[in-house]
Amino acid sequence: MARTRGNESLGPAKQQRGRRRRVVHVFTEGRVTEPNYIEAVSGLVRLHEQGVEVRIANANAPGSQRKPIKLVEAAVRLMRDEARTAKRTGVKKELWPQVWCLFDRDEHESVDEALKQAREGDVQVAFSHPCFEVWRLLHHKPVTGTFGGMCGHVADRLPFAKDGGNIKVVLPEQIRNKFVDAKGRAKKMNGEHGAHLPLSLRDPYTDVFEFVEKGLGIASY
């Protein structure tokens, strides 16, 4: 199976008798928070025991390759390689590896183009505006109003922001038993925006819950 340079697996997924393991490749904008979140979730639900293997596809990528458009370009290439391999080996479509990108609005350029290229390249995206911390915040409280595109305003509202620890690190106890509430709050928050509004202009917004459900294949943690 094709792998991207720097691929880092978050837990081995042993192939079970009569059941093919499902591989999920993830390109993350952040070096720490998003991979750490995925690792925390994987530990809480023991994804490897369910036959799911998550690979951080750009674990060693430099900052210049972590802009949304760069992530998507690399992800589309990987998806093309994986699809070619799957077809050649006769893997059923529902068992093909998935390729995801997790990125934020922040102040990036070409976000709409990145989303467009992802759709056309069969790459799935979990998008947050202004940043991933919106999803983390929803695990603890509803979110209303706007952040004016400033991630710092989101981070300041995290309940553990004033504890003096590394805010980029996601601890299992910060999210345990909170997914269902976080998803409900996210959908309500997202619903405040008109359907005609591009994702890049929806502040606040996050659909990371779709990555959890469709990518990781779980309904709670």
Side-chain angles (χ1 to χ4, degrees):
M1 182 171 293
R3 296 185 65 178
T4 298
R5 181 182 179 183
N7 244 343
E8 181 177 286
S9 178
L10 295 179
K14 295 183 179 179
Q15 187 166 339
Q16 300 175 27
R17 180 174 297 178
R19 179 181 178 186
R20 182 186 179 90
R21 67 180 182 181
R22 188 165 64 86
V23 178
V24 182
H25 300 277
V26 187
F27 290 80
T28 67
E29 177 185 340
R31 295 175 183 271
V32 178
T33 304
E34 291 92 330
N36 199 230
Y37 165 76
I38 296 171
E39 185 174 9
V41 173
S42 298
L44 288 174
V45 300
R46 299 184 179 182
L47 284 178
H48 62 282
E49 294 183 2
Q50 301 179 42
V52 178
E53 180 181 354
V54 182
R55 299 177 183 174
I56 303 302
N58 64 330
N60 299 324
S64 61
Q65 298 301 309
R66 291 179 176 273
K67 307 299 183 183
I69 194 68
K70 293 295 185 181
L71 291 181
V72 170
E73 289 172 350
V76 168
R77 289 193 296 270
L78 177 58
M79 187 66 241
R80 188 181 303 122
D81 291 343
E82 293 287 12
R84 186 181 300 115
T85 300
K87 289 178 181 178
R88 187 176 64 249
T89 56
V91 177
K92 294 181 180 180
K93 186 68 178 290
E94 60 268 24
L95 294 176
W96 284 16
Q98 293 185 19
V99 180
W100 283 79
C101 287
L102 272 61
F103 61 79
D104 309 333
R105 178 63 183 91
D106 287 327
E107 297 179 359
H108 296 305
E109 299 178 351
S110 305
V111 169
D112 290 323
E113 178 61 23
L115 293 169
K116 177 176 179 291
Q117 288 189 25
R119 288 193 298 271
E120 294 174 348
D122 202 22
V123 167
Q124 302 186 70
V125 174
F127 176 74
S128 299
H129 191 322
C131 58
F132 185 81
E133 277 64 34
V134 170
W135 174 240
R136 298 177 68 189
L137 182 60
L138 288 165
H139 283 69
H140 303 278
K141 62 181 71 173
V143 173
T144 58
T146 178
F147 294 105
M150 303 296 291
C151 187
H153 294 337
V154 187
D156 288 343
R157 291 176 58 180
L158 291 171
F160 42 84
K162 298 180 180 179
D163 294 342
N166 185 351
I167 197 172
K168 291 187 176 182
V169 174
V170 181
L171 302 176
E173 55 264 31
Q174 296 170 353
I175 62 174
R176 183 183 288 114
N177 298 324
K178 292 179 168 59
F179 174 76
V180 174
D181 287 341
K183 175 189 172 183
R185 292 164 182 160
K187 296 188 74 170
K188 182 177 181 180
M189 178 187 75
N190 295 346
E192 296 298 317
H193 303 292
H196 66 284
L197 197 66
L199 291 186
S200 60
L201 298 179
R202 301 183 190 185
D203 179 7
Y205 178 91
T206 186
D207 53 23
V208 175
F209 58 87
E210 293 194 353
F211 164 70
V212 174
E213 294 181 327
K214 298 178 182 178
L216 304 184
I218 58 176
S220 64
Y221 52 67

